[in-house]
Amino acid sequence: MPRYRLTLEYDGSGYNGFQAQTDQSTVQGAVETAITAFCGETVRLAAAGRTDTGVHATGQVISLDLEKDWPARTVMNALNAHLIGEAISVLDCIGVDGDWHARFSATGRRYLYRILTRPGPPALDAGRVWHMRKPLDADAMQAAAQSLVGLHDFTTFRDVNCQSKSPEKTLDVADVRRVGDEVHLVFEARSFLHRQVRSMTGTLAEVGLGRWEIGDVAAALAARDRSACGPVAPSTGLYLTGVSY
Protein backbone atom coordinates (compact mmCIF):
# COMPACT_ATOMS: atom_id res chain seq x y z
CA MET A 1 0.00 0.00 0.00
CA PRO A 2 1.62 3.31 -1.08
CA ARG A 3 2.48 5.77 1.69
CA TYR A 4 2.73 9.52 1.23
CA ARG A 5 4.38 12.32 3.20
CA LEU A 6 2.66 15.70 2.96
CA THR A 7 3.58 19.11 4.35
CA LEU A 8 0.67 21.31 5.43
CA GLU A 9 0.16 24.99 6.09
CA TYR A 10 -2.93 26.10 7.97
CA ASP A 11 -4.52 28.91 9.92
CA GLY A 12 -5.75 27.25 13.10
CA SER A 13 -8.10 30.09 14.06
CA GLY A 14 -11.23 28.32 12.82
CA TYR A 15 -10.39 24.80 13.96
CA ASN A 16 -10.72 22.96 17.26
CA GLY A 17 -7.14 21.81 17.01
CA PHE A 18 -5.56 19.31 14.64
CA GLN A 19 -6.84 15.99 15.95
CA ALA A 20 -10.14 14.69 14.57
CA GLN A 21 -13.09 15.08 16.93
CA THR A 22 -16.71 14.09 16.54
CA ASP A 23 -18.94 16.97 15.43
CA GLN A 24 -16.13 19.53 15.66
CA SER A 25 -14.16 21.23 12.91
CA THR A 26 -10.52 20.09 12.96
CA VAL A 27 -7.60 20.17 10.57
CA GLN A 28 -7.34 16.40 10.47
CA GLY A 29 -11.05 16.05 9.82
CA ALA A 30 -10.92 18.50 6.92
CA VAL A 31 -7.94 16.76 5.30
CA GLU A 32 -9.42 13.29 5.71
CA THR A 33 -12.69 14.52 4.19
CA ALA A 34 -10.73 15.90 1.23
CA ILE A 35 -9.00 12.54 0.78
CA THR A 36 -12.35 10.75 0.65
CA ALA A 37 -13.66 13.26 -1.85
CA PHE A 38 -10.56 12.75 -4.00
CA CYS A 39 -10.33 8.97 -4.17
CA GLY A 40 -13.28 7.55 -2.24
CA GLU A 41 -11.09 6.06 0.48
CA THR A 42 -11.59 6.50 4.22
CA VAL A 43 -8.18 6.92 5.83
CA ARG A 44 -6.77 7.91 9.21
CA LEU A 45 -3.67 10.02 8.77
CA ALA A 46 -0.77 10.48 11.20
CA ALA A 47 0.71 13.88 12.09
CA ALA A 48 4.05 15.06 13.46
CA GLY A 49 2.28 17.23 16.04
CA ARG A 50 -1.28 17.54 17.32
CA THR A 51 -1.59 21.31 17.50
CA ASP A 52 -4.16 22.79 19.88
CA THR A 53 -7.19 24.93 19.08
CA GLY A 54 -6.12 28.17 17.42
CA VAL A 55 -2.52 27.07 16.77
CA HIS A 56 -1.20 27.51 13.24
CA ALA A 57 1.31 25.66 11.08
CA THR A 58 3.62 26.47 8.21
CA GLY A 59 5.37 23.11 8.28
CA GLN A 60 3.09 20.43 9.72
CA VAL A 61 3.93 16.98 8.35
CA ILE A 62 1.47 14.11 7.91
CA SER A 63 1.65 10.60 6.52
CA LEU A 64 -1.12 8.52 5.00
CA ASP A 65 -1.67 5.31 3.03
CA LEU A 66 -3.75 4.99 -0.12
CA GLU A 67 -4.78 1.82 -1.93
CA LYS A 68 -3.88 3.13 -5.39
CA ASP A 69 -0.37 4.25 -6.30
CA TRP A 70 -1.16 7.82 -7.33
CA PRO A 71 1.54 10.24 -8.53
CA ALA A 72 2.50 12.43 -5.57
CA ARG A 73 1.75 15.62 -7.50
CA THR A 74 -1.73 14.32 -8.28
CA VAL A 75 -2.39 13.69 -4.59
CA MET A 76 -1.23 17.22 -3.68
CA ASN A 77 -3.23 18.96 -6.40
CA ALA A 78 -6.36 16.91 -5.77
CA LEU A 79 -6.34 17.56 -2.03
CA ASN A 80 -5.81 21.29 -2.54
CA ALA A 81 -8.75 21.31 -4.93
CA HIS A 82 -10.96 19.67 -2.33
CA LEU A 83 -9.66 21.92 0.45
CA ILE A 84 -10.89 25.09 -1.24
CA GLY A 85 -12.89 26.93 1.40
CA GLU A 86 -10.68 25.58 4.18
CA ALA A 87 -7.75 27.49 5.68
CA ILE A 88 -5.46 24.57 4.82
CA SER A 89 -2.96 24.10 2.01
CA VAL A 90 -0.84 21.11 0.99
CA LEU A 91 2.62 22.51 0.22
CA ASP A 92 4.24 19.32 -1.03
CA CYS A 93 3.76 15.57 -1.28
CA ILE A 94 6.25 12.75 -1.80
CA GLY A 95 6.12 8.96 -1.72
CA VAL A 96 7.90 7.32 1.24
CA ASP A 97 8.70 3.82 2.46
CA GLY A 98 5.99 1.92 4.26
CA ASP A 99 7.81 2.03 7.59
CA TRP A 100 8.13 5.84 7.55
CA HIS A 101 5.81 7.63 9.99
CA ALA A 102 5.14 11.36 10.35
CA ARG A 103 5.19 11.19 14.15
CA PHE A 104 7.48 8.33 15.11
CA SER A 105 10.16 9.00 12.48
CA ALA A 106 10.54 12.63 13.55
CA THR A 107 13.80 13.65 15.23
CA GLY A 108 12.92 17.28 15.95
CA ARG A 109 10.14 19.84 15.93
CA ARG A 110 10.39 23.62 15.64
CA TYR A 111 7.88 26.17 16.90
CA LEU A 112 7.67 29.92 16.42
CA TYR A 113 5.76 32.25 18.70
CA ARG A 114 4.97 35.78 17.47
CA ILE A 115 4.27 38.65 19.86
CA LEU A 116 3.25 41.97 18.33
CA THR A 117 4.35 44.88 20.52
CA ARG A 118 2.75 48.16 19.45
CA PRO A 119 -0.15 50.32 20.63
CA GLY A 120 -2.40 49.56 17.67
CA PRO A 121 -4.00 46.12 17.40
CA PRO A 122 -3.32 43.92 14.34
CA ALA A 123 -5.65 44.25 11.40
CA LEU A 124 -4.03 41.89 8.89
CA ASP A 125 -2.67 39.47 11.51
CA ALA A 126 -5.63 39.37 13.89
CA GLY A 127 -5.72 35.89 15.39
CA ARG A 128 -2.17 35.18 14.25
CA VAL A 129 -0.14 37.07 16.88
CA TRP A 130 -0.27 37.80 20.60
CA HIS A 131 -0.84 41.54 20.78
CA MET A 132 0.80 43.50 23.60
CA ARG A 133 0.53 47.25 23.86
CA LYS A 134 3.51 47.48 26.20
CA PRO A 135 7.13 47.11 24.99
CA LEU A 136 9.10 43.94 25.63
CA ASP A 137 12.80 43.67 26.43
CA ALA A 138 13.76 40.93 23.96
CA ASP A 139 17.37 40.87 25.16
CA ALA A 140 16.30 40.10 28.72
CA MET A 141 13.95 37.41 27.44
CA GLN A 142 16.78 35.87 25.41
CA ALA A 143 19.06 35.80 28.46
CA ALA A 144 16.36 34.20 30.61
CA ALA A 145 15.48 31.63 27.92
CA GLN A 146 18.95 30.10 28.01
CA SER A 147 18.26 28.54 31.40
CA LEU A 148 15.61 26.40 29.68
CA VAL A 149 18.02 24.89 27.13
CA GLY A 150 19.17 21.33 27.81
CA LEU A 151 17.73 18.29 29.55
CA HIS A 152 15.39 19.30 32.35
CA ASP A 153 12.32 18.29 34.29
CA PHE A 154 9.79 20.69 32.75
CA THR A 155 6.98 20.03 35.24
CA THR A 156 6.64 23.80 35.80
CA PHE A 157 5.86 24.30 32.11
CA ARG A 158 3.69 21.21 31.70
CA ASP A 159 -0.09 21.42 31.36
CA VAL A 160 -1.98 19.59 34.10
CA ASN A 161 -3.69 17.45 31.44
CA CYS A 162 -0.44 16.45 29.73
CA GLN A 163 -0.38 12.72 28.98
CA SER A 164 3.37 12.37 28.51
CA LYS A 165 4.88 9.61 30.66
CA SER A 166 7.78 11.82 31.80
CA PRO A 167 8.19 15.57 32.39
CA GLU A 168 11.82 15.35 31.25
CA LYS A 169 12.58 16.83 27.83
CA THR A 170 15.66 18.16 26.09
CA LEU A 171 15.17 21.67 24.70
CA ASP A 172 17.75 22.19 21.95
CA VAL A 173 17.01 25.80 21.04
CA ALA A 174 15.36 28.73 22.83
CA ASP A 175 15.95 31.87 20.80
CA VAL A 176 14.29 35.25 21.37
CA ARG A 177 14.81 38.18 19.03
CA ARG A 178 13.10 41.35 17.94
CA VAL A 179 11.84 41.53 14.34
CA GLY A 180 10.44 45.00 13.70
CA ASP A 181 7.34 45.48 15.83
CA GLU A 182 7.37 41.83 16.82
CA VAL A 183 9.28 39.64 19.25
CA HIS A 184 9.83 36.13 17.90
CA LEU A 185 10.50 33.14 20.12
CA VAL A 186 11.82 29.97 18.46
CA PHE A 187 11.94 26.64 20.30
CA GLU A 188 13.38 23.39 18.96
CA ALA A 189 13.29 19.93 20.56
CA ARG A 190 12.70 16.33 19.65
CA SER A 191 9.33 16.56 21.36
CA PHE A 192 7.43 18.86 23.71
CA LEU A 193 5.07 18.50 26.62
CA HIS A 194 1.47 19.66 26.27
CA ARG A 195 1.42 23.48 26.11
CA GLN A 196 5.09 23.64 27.04
CA VAL A 197 5.88 26.26 24.40
CA ARG A 198 2.98 28.51 25.40
CA SER A 199 3.90 28.13 29.08
CA MET A 200 7.54 29.05 28.46
CA THR A 201 6.51 31.95 26.23
CA GLY A 202 4.13 33.43 28.80
CA THR A 203 6.78 33.15 31.49
CA LEU A 204 9.47 34.77 29.34
CA ALA A 205 7.04 37.58 28.51
CA GLU A 206 6.93 38.40 32.23
CA VAL A 207 10.70 38.99 32.02
CA GLY A 208 10.25 41.15 28.94
CA LEU A 209 7.65 43.25 30.73
CA GLY A 210 9.96 43.73 33.71
CA ARG A 211 7.72 41.84 36.13
CA TRP A 212 10.22 38.98 36.53
CA GLU A 213 13.99 39.08 36.85
CA ILE A 214 16.10 37.03 34.44
CA GLY A 215 17.00 34.55 37.17
CA ASP A 216 13.36 33.98 38.09
CA VAL A 217 12.88 31.73 35.05
CA ALA A 218 15.63 29.35 36.19
CA ALA A 219 14.11 29.35 39.67
CA ALA A 220 10.68 28.53 38.25
CA LEU A 221 12.15 25.66 36.23
CA ALA A 222 13.97 24.31 39.29
CA ALA A 223 10.77 24.42 41.34
CA ARG A 224 9.24 21.62 39.25
CA ASP A 225 5.87 23.01 40.25
CA ARG A 226 3.14 24.09 37.83
CA SER A 227 2.14 26.90 40.16
CA ALA A 228 5.58 28.47 39.60
CA CYS A 229 4.82 29.02 35.90
CA GLY A 230 3.93 32.44 34.59
CA PRO A 231 0.75 33.12 32.60
CA VAL A 232 0.24 30.77 29.64
CA ALA A 233 0.48 32.60 26.32
CA PRO A 234 -2.61 32.41 24.08
CA SER A 235 -2.69 30.01 21.14
CA THR A 236 -3.00 32.80 18.57
CA GLY A 237 0.72 33.47 18.14
CA LEU A 238 1.96 29.88 17.97
CA TYR A 239 3.12 28.13 14.78
CA LEU A 240 4.53 24.67 14.09
CA THR A 241 7.11 25.71 11.51
CA GLY A 242 9.07 22.57 10.78
CA VAL A 243 9.76 18.92 11.54
CA SER A 244 13.15 17.20 11.19
CA TYR A 245 13.64 13.58 10.09
Side-chain angles (χ1 to χ4, degrees):
M1 183 174 286
R3 178 163 292 184
Y4 299 88
R5 165 183 167 173
L6 298 85
T7 303
L8 305 182
E9 175 183 272
Y10 52 83
D11 181 336
S13 301
Y15 299 99
N16 292 293
F18 182 90
Q19 189 173 5
Q21 300 179 52
T22 303
D23 299 326
Q24 293 194 51
S25 177
T26 68
V27 176
Q28 181 178 2
V31 175
E32 290 178 350
T33 297
I35 294 168
T36 302
F38 154 51
C39 62
E41 297 181 38
T42 301
V43 303
R44 181 48 51 101
L45 59 84
R50 297 174 180 176
T51 52
D52 286 341
T53 299
V55 177
H56 318 293
T58 59
Q60 171 73 281
V61 178
I62 65 172
S63 55
L64 57 91
D65 297 332
L66 296 177
E67 294 180 4
K68 181 178 177 179
D69 190 5
W70 296 91
R73 181 56 67 98
T74 298
V75 175
M76 181 182 75
N77 290 341
L79 292 186
N80 280 330
H82 288 288
L83 286 167
I84 290 177
E86 301 282 352
I88 306 169
S89 177
V90 180
L91 302 182
D92 66 45
C93 176
I94 60 173
V96 293
D97 293 336
D99 60 353
W100 190 92
H101 193 279
R103 179 184 175 189
F104 298 120
S105 298
T107 59
R109 293 162 177 84
R110 182 173 64 255
Y111 284 90
L112 163 69
Y113 199 100
R114 297 171 56 197
I115 305 176
L116 177 65
T117 58
R118 70 181 191 194
L124 300 180
D125 281 329
R128 298 186 180 95
V129 295
W130 181 12
H131 177 225
M132 286 190 175
R133 291 179 172 83
K134 296 181 179 179
L136 287 176
D137 185 341
D139 291 336
M141 293 170 67
Q142 167 69 2
Q146 301 321 296
S147 63
L148 302 173
V149 176
L151 173 62
H152 301 288
D153 180 328
F154 282 97
T155 296
T156 298
F157 304 101
R158 179 187 191 182
D159 188 82
V160 293
N161 295 317
C162 180
Q163 297 179 356
S164 179
K165 294 180 180 178
S166 171
E168 291 190 350
K169 294 292 179 182
T170 299
L171 185 63
D172 298 312
V173 173
D175 184 59
V176 184
R177 64 184 63 186
R178 175 161 291 283
V179 181
D181 287 336
E182 297 186 12
V183 172
H184 289 184
L185 298 89
V186 174
F187 299 100
E188 296 181 15
R190 183 181 183 89
S191 62
F192 291 86
L193 300 168
H194 189 208
R195 293 185 180 165
Q196 180 182 348
V197 172
R198 288 169 56 191
S199 297
M200 294 187 298
T201 295
T203 297
L204 291 170
E206 292 296 285
V207 176
L209 290 167
R211 297 170 179 165
W212 285 36
E213 299 295 330
I214 291 173
D216 290 342
V217 174
L221 175 66
R224 301 178 184 179
D225 183 345
R226 182 62 176 170
S227 65
C229 183
V232 178
S235 62
T236 54
L238 183 57
Y239 297 75
L240 173 59
T241 59
V243 185
S244 302
Y245 293 95

